[in-house]
């Protein structure tokens, strides 16, 4: 068997494979033997069917097709091993199979072509001395005040509202259904996937739903039905809805307002393990300060990596892109399901191609970041030692106590994350990062954290926090994905 390689665009290898007469004959004979042993033909015992009868019943083209299928698969696998091809995904036959069947003759030489994705060859030049700007996230006492007001609001007593319309701060019970207006005349509007509910309780405050939804309910009266125009954000988690206008038909069924408790030690004891409001404030100040420090760190890392990618030269194979798209959609499904979205409807077969296409740009962006970082790590001989891997793995196992963990997969993920972290740190140390005030740059890909995000992040900690500062500071801060409620 002779194999000729050809480098193709998009990180692919093309193969021209020449088959010897002996190989083609053997493949054909193996199929004959297989069907002779297994074929059930009236008038003959199994295994005793004459060759000419077998060929007549099955058809010579059918036998040739089966022989070719086995032969091609075997030859491709041998070619992968023989040529030491670092393949990704499966081979794709580029010669028309029907033509091969037509021309195939057992005992004669033949040739066919195939291609396969291979590991991309990435190049990164001039990565030392990168100069970037990143926003510095600073702690503000207002974060603590807003958080405590949120908790105070949740502890309030709901009292029915009479004689007035809905106001910000109220709690409404509503029925709603959302549609995406038709962009083409004559087409029907499409219902928003998962955008339908009955007897849904909603706090009338900003940042909870897509822009325009809460604002439209404010001013409505009991039993009133109204059409509310809203707009899905451009960075909305479900990409098929991102940036799209929507119209929600909303009916207000109940209105309530909160009678709030005093912001005192009693409230602190009720919402946390702290005895006084002063100690709770102290804990929150430390917590939010760490949050802002971490946010600044992430801003710096993102700026460094984004600049690094501009120095990257690579052709990404389609197999890697498809795999990354699958991971993005799986993560989106997990995030959206936490907020009441019907992911089964969202991921229906009709929506699937559209969602895959809309996820491609983000998948390519992620892959470029990873490839750029990995290339620098290799060029600078940046590695992770066993002690670091074991230490970080132990932390993860402790966090996931009680859950099944694949040790091999865990090691792979931990090693990859540690290597990325060390490489980005090296880039930062060998570059320049200028910190600028928040809001100076307007290129963030993530939605800034709202008080609701911070509340979700802190809530589990304050209910378990002890009186000792050492134990408080030792707690692991969980990362909360930025998601919208609707």
């Amino acid at each position: 068997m002779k194999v000729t390689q050809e480098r193709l665009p998009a990180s692919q290898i093309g193969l021209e494979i020449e088959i010897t007469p002996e190989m083609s004959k053997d493949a054909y004979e193996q199929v004959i033997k297989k069907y002779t042993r297994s074929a059930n033909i009236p008038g003959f015992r199994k295994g005793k069917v004459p060759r000419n009868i077998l060929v007549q019943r099955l058809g010579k083209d059918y036998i040739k097709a089966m022989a070719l299928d086995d032969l091609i698969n075997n030859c491709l696998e041998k070619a992968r091993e023989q040529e030491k091809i670092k393949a990704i995904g499966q081979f794709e036959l580029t010669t028309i199979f029907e033509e091969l069947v037509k021309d195939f003759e057992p005992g004669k030489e033949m040739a066919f072509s195939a291609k396969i994705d291979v590991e991309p060859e990435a190049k990164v030049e001039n990565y030392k001395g990168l100069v970037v700007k990143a926003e510095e996230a600073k702690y503000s006492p207002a974060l603590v005040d807003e958080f405590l007001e949120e908790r105070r609001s949740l502890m309030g007593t709901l009292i029915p509202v009479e004689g007035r319309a809905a106001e910000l701060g109220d709690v409404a019970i509503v029925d709603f259904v959302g549609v995406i207006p038709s962009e083409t005349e004559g087409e029907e509007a499409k219902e928003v996937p998962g955008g339908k509910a009955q007897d849904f309780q909603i706090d009338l405050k900003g940042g909870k739903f897509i822009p325009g939804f809460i604002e439209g309910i404010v001013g409505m009266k009991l039993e009133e039905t109204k059409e509310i125009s809203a707009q899905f954000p451009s960075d909305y988690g479900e990409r098929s809805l991102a940036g799209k206008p929507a119209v929600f038909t909303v009916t207000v069924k109940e209105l309530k307002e909160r009678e709030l408790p005093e912001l005192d030690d009693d409230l602190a004891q009720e919402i946390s393990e702290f005895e006084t409001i002063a100690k709770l404030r102290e804990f929150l100040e430390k917590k939010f300060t760490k949050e802002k420090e971490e946010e600044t760190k992430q801003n710096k890392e993102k700026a460094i990596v984004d600049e690094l990618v501009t120095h990257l030269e690579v052709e990404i194979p389609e197999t890697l892109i498809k795999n990354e798209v699958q991971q993005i959609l799986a993560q989106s499904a997990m995030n959206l399901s936490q907020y009441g979205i019907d992911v089964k409807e969202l991921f229906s077969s009709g929506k699937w191609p559209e969602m895959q296409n809309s996820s491609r740009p983000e998948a390519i962006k992620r892959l470029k970041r990873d490839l750029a970082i990995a290339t620098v790590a290799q060029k600078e001989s940046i590695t992770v030692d066993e002690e670091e891997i074991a230490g970080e793995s132990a932390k993860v196992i402790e966090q996931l106590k009680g859950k099944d963990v694949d040790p091999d997969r865990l090691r792979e993920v931990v090693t990859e994350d540690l290597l990325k972290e060390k490489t980005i740190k090296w880039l930062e140390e060998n570059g320049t990062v200028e910190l600028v005030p928040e809001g100076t740059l307007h290129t963030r890909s993530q939605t800034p954290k709202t008080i609701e995000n911070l509340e979700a992040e802190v809530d589990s900690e304050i209910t378990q926090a002890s009186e000792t500062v050492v134990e408080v500071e030792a707690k692991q801060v969980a990362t909360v994905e930025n998601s919208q409620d609707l």
Side-chain angles (χ1 to χ4, degrees), residues 275-483:
E275 292 293 326
T276 67
I277 195 71
K279 288 182 178 179
L280 177 55
R281 279 186 176 278
E282 181 184 355
F283 168 80
L284 292 173
E285 287 171 3
K286 290 178 182 292
K287 177 67 176 69
F288 289 141
T289 298
K290 288 182 180 178
E291 285 284 343
K292 289 301 180 180
E293 290 173 352
E294 179 62 26
E295 190 174 339
T296 299
K297 178 174 177 286
Q298 291 177 0
N299 289 343
K300 290 164 65 176
E301 291 177 351
K302 181 181 182 301
I304 283 282
V305 176
D306 285 351
E307 177 61 25
L308 176 66
V309 168
T310 66
H311 298 261
L312 172 71
E313 293 181 21
V314 69
E315 290 185 326
I316 303 177
E318 188 63 26
T319 299
L320 285 185
I321 297 173
K322 288 180 178 179
N323 290 343
E324 192 67 25
V325 165
Q326 294 296 101
Q327 291 187 34
I328 289 173
L329 294 178
Q331 186 62 53
S332 295
M334 290 177 61
N335 293 341
L336 294 171
S337 64
Q338 295 175 2
Y339 290 88
I341 300 295
D342 185 352
V343 293
K344 288 184 179 179
E345 180 179 353
L346 200 60
F347 281 68
S348 63
S349 57
K351 286 283 182 182
W352 192 247
E354 181 183 352
M355 294 174 69
Q356 287 178 313
N357 288 334
S358 63
S359 298
R360 280 182 65 87
E362 178 61 23
I364 294 171
K365 188 184 297 184
R366 288 190 188 186
L367 289 168
K368 285 185 175 181
R369 290 176 190 150
D370 289 347
L371 288 167
I373 292 170
T375 302
V376 172
Q378 184 179 24
K379 294 185 73 170
E380 295 300 327
S381 300
I382 301 171
T383 58
V384 182
D385 59 43
E386 288 298 325
E387 187 176 344
E388 291 174 299
I389 297 172
E392 190 62 28
S393 297
K395 290 180 184 178
V396 175
I397 290 173
E398 179 63 27
Q399 292 172 354
L400 301 176
K401 187 179 292 184
K403 297 182 180 179
D404 291 333
V405 177
D406 181 343
D408 293 333
R409 178 58 180 158
L410 174 61
R411 178 185 173 81
E412 179 184 340
V413 171
V414 166
T415 303
E416 186 176 300
D417 287 347
L418 286 173
L419 187 59
K420 286 182 184 178
E421 185 179 331
K422 291 181 74 171
T423 305
I424 293 172
K425 184 178 180 181
W426 185 93
L427 288 165
E428 188 176 337
E429 290 172 348
N430 288 271
T432 302
V433 181
E434 178 188 350
L435 291 176
V436 297
E438 282 186 280
T440 303
L441 307 176
H442 303 284
T443 56
R444 290 184 181 182
S445 62
Q446 292 185 340
T447 303
K449 285 187 178 180
T450 63
I451 189 63
E452 287 78 20
N453 297 134
L454 293 171
E455 177 187 339
E457 203 167 273
V458 172
D459 191 43
S460 63
E461 292 192 37
I462 65 174
T463 56
Q464 300 174 34
S466 69
E467 298 282 347
T468 63
V469 175
V470 173
E471 289 180 327
V472 168
E473 292 183 344
K475 290 184 176 294
Q476 180 74 22
V477 179
T479 300
V480 174
E481 295 287 336
N482 291 295
S483 303

Side-chain angles (χ1 to χ4, degrees), residues 146-318:
E146 290 176 28
F147 176 82
L148 290 175
E149 281 303 312
E150 284 289 326
R151 300 305 298 164
R152 184 179 174 219
S153 176
L154 291 175
M155 299 302 294
T157 303
L158 293 177
I159 301 172
V161 169
E162 296 180 359
R164 67 169 176 82
E167 298 177 355
L168 284 175
D170 287 345
V171 174
I173 306 296
V174 301
D175 292 347
F176 68 84
V177 59
V179 297
I180 303 296
S182 171
E183 297 178 359
T184 305
E185 187 176 351
E187 284 189 2
E188 293 185 3
K190 297 180 181 179
E191 189 171 305
V192 175
K196 180 179 182 181
Q198 292 185 324
D199 297 324
F200 187 81
Q201 180 171 305
I202 178 173
D203 286 316
L204 301 183
K205 52 187 176 184
K208 293 288 287 185
F209 280 73
I210 63 174
F213 190 83
I214 297 295
E215 295 81 353
I217 296 177
V218 171
M220 292 181 67
K221 297 180 180 180
L222 280 173
E223 304 302 330
E224 181 181 352
T225 298
K226 176 182 174 183
E227 286 191 350
I228 297 173
S229 295
Q231 180 89 21
F232 285 96
S234 59
D235 59 353
Y236 188 64
E238 170 42 49
R239 300 184 189 285
S240 65
L241 299 176
K244 294 287 183 69
V247 176
F248 290 87
T249 302
V250 181
T251 300
V252 176
K253 302 175 77 173
E254 295 182 48
L255 272 179
K256 300 177 183 180
E257 60 183 348
R258 282 192 171 92
E259 188 177 79
L260 302 180
E262 293 295 323
L263 190 58
D264 54 18
D265 293 346
D266 289 338
L267 179 64
Q269 293 168 23
E270 193 163 357
I271 66 174
S272 74
E273 295 299 317
F274 295 100
E275 292 293 326
T276 67
I277 195 71
K279 288 182 178 179
L280 177 55
R281 279 186 176 278
E282 181 184 355
F283 168 80
L284 292 173
E285 287 171 3
K286 290 178 182 292
K287 177 67 176 69
F288 289 141
T289 298
K290 288 182 180 178
E291 285 284 343
K292 289 301 180 180
E293 290 173 352
E294 179 62 26
E295 190 174 339
T296 299
K297 178 174 177 286
Q298 291 177 0
N299 289 343
K300 290 164 65 176
E301 291 177 351
K302 181 181 182 301
I304 283 282
V305 176
D306 285 351
E307 177 61 25
L308 176 66
V309 168
T310 66
H311 298 261
L312 172 71
E313 293 181 21
V314 69
E315 290 185 326
I316 303 177
E318 188 63 26

